[in-house]
Amino acid sequence: MADKTVYYQGTEFYAMTLIYFFYIGFFVLVYGNIVSFVAEILQRKWFERADWLYVLILGAFGSAIGLVFPVWNFIIAGILVAMLFGIIDKWLLKRWQLDKGNKALFITPFVAFALLWGYYHFASPSLPAHTAEQAVEFATSDSGTSIDRFPEEVGTWQGEIEGYQVKRITAVEKMDEETYMVIFTEEWQKGRVDDSWMMSYEVDRNSSILREEEGDMPPYDK
């Protein structure tokens, strides 16, 4: 079963917040302000004291997200966000009319973001140790390379190719806690012909770098 554990949750929270802010937030800001402007004109003309109706109108227009994402969860979320937008809009207007400061309201989202990021950052599980098996799997994951024919696990394959007795060895050596040297060695023998070829890769969690290559390619691969 695949490991579904999410690591670096703080980074993921930060990235998703930016995505929502720049895409969904931009849509809400532009579309929401247009709808709010129209609703305010209607309110001043027909229902000046009915702020609740202003909020309901914004909620109704918030359901328009269903035209893009025809899913009930998105439609309900659109209605609630639009109504919240209207409530905050009217609340800010009342405070402005009463000459009360709104600094706390603007600071609160940033404080909440910082607290949530800190929580996800420190609550994220630590990465498990990088194992030799994972290093070998990563090194042998590419296709169409000269190491395709080697065992995909630490071990040895033996067989005969065009009359040559061939041995292919996959080995691994630990360099430090995160890095391994994965070594591929091929040996062949036929009569008096006895030769070998070797290639090694330095492998960590995210990269595999060729470090050394010795010998000529086998004659049966030329």
Side-chain angles (χ1 to χ4, degrees):
M1 182 180 294
D3 183 9
K4 296 183 179 180
T5 304
V6 178
Y7 304 100
Y8 303 114
Q9 293 178 9
T11 302
E12 183 163 321
F13 170 74
Y14 174 77
M16 292 304 298
T17 300
L18 287 181
I19 291 172
Y20 278 103
F21 178 79
F22 283 112
Y23 290 94
I24 298 177
F26 178 78
F27 172 80
V28 170
L29 183 64
V30 175
Y31 176 74
N33 278 324
I34 293 173
V35 172
S36 176
F37 176 74
V38 173
E40 285 179 359
I41 293 175
L42 296 176
Q43 183 181 20
R44 284 197 297 268
K45 189 172 183 179
W46 285 305
F47 49 93
E48 188 170 358
R49 296 183 179 276
D51 287 343
W52 60 270
L53 186 54
Y54 168 86
V55 172
L56 288 180
I57 290 174
L58 262 61
F61 278 96
S63 64
I65 194 172
L67 299 175
V68 181
F69 302 105
V71 179
W72 275 110
N73 288 343
F74 284 103
I75 295 173
I76 293 172
I79 293 172
L80 293 177
V81 169
M83 292 179 69
L84 179 62
F85 181 94
I87 292 171
I88 293 175
D89 184 35
K90 288 300 179 183
W91 183 72
L92 287 174
L93 180 61
K94 295 292 185 183
R95 289 182 64 86
W96 178 76
Q97 291 173 343
L98 295 173
D99 197 25
K100 292 184 177 181
N102 294 316
K103 291 182 180 180
L105 181 68
F106 293 105
I107 294 174
T108 299
F110 295 99
V111 174
F113 173 81
L115 291 174
L116 286 171
W117 176 85
Y119 167 77
Y120 285 118
H121 176 75
F122 292 106
S124 295
S126 300
L127 282 171
H130 189 214
T131 65
E133 290 77 11
Q134 290 172 327
V136 173
E137 181 181 3
F138 190 88
T140 58
S141 60
D142 290 336
S143 59
T145 67
S146 56
I147 61 175
D148 282 350
R149 56 183 180 266
F150 285 88
E152 295 183 356
E153 298 177 350
V154 173
T156 302
W157 175 90
Q158 297 186 67
E160 183 177 330
I161 302 175
E162 297 181 8
Y164 289 88
Q165 297 300 314
V166 180
K167 183 185 294 185
R168 292 170 177 160
I169 306 167
T170 300
V172 62
E173 297 177 359
K174 188 171 185 177
M175 300 178 67
D176 56 43
E177 290 300 320
E178 293 290 321
T179 310
Y180 293 85
M181 187 69 72
V182 181
I183 306 165
F184 302 96
T185 306
E186 185 163 0
E187 302 173 352
W188 58 92
Q189 190 272 328
K190 181 180 181 182
R192 295 184 178 181
V193 177
D194 189 352
D195 208 344
S196 65
W197 167 83
M198 183 274 291
M199 180 179 287
S200 63
Y201 288 84
E202 183 179 322
V203 182
D204 59 24
R205 290 183 185 272
N206 303 307
S207 64
S208 178
I209 303 172
L210 176 64
R211 283 303 181 195
E212 187 178 5
E213 184 175 4
E214 293 181 356
D216 296 324
M217 294 294 289
Y220 42 83
D221 282 343
K222 294 181 179 178

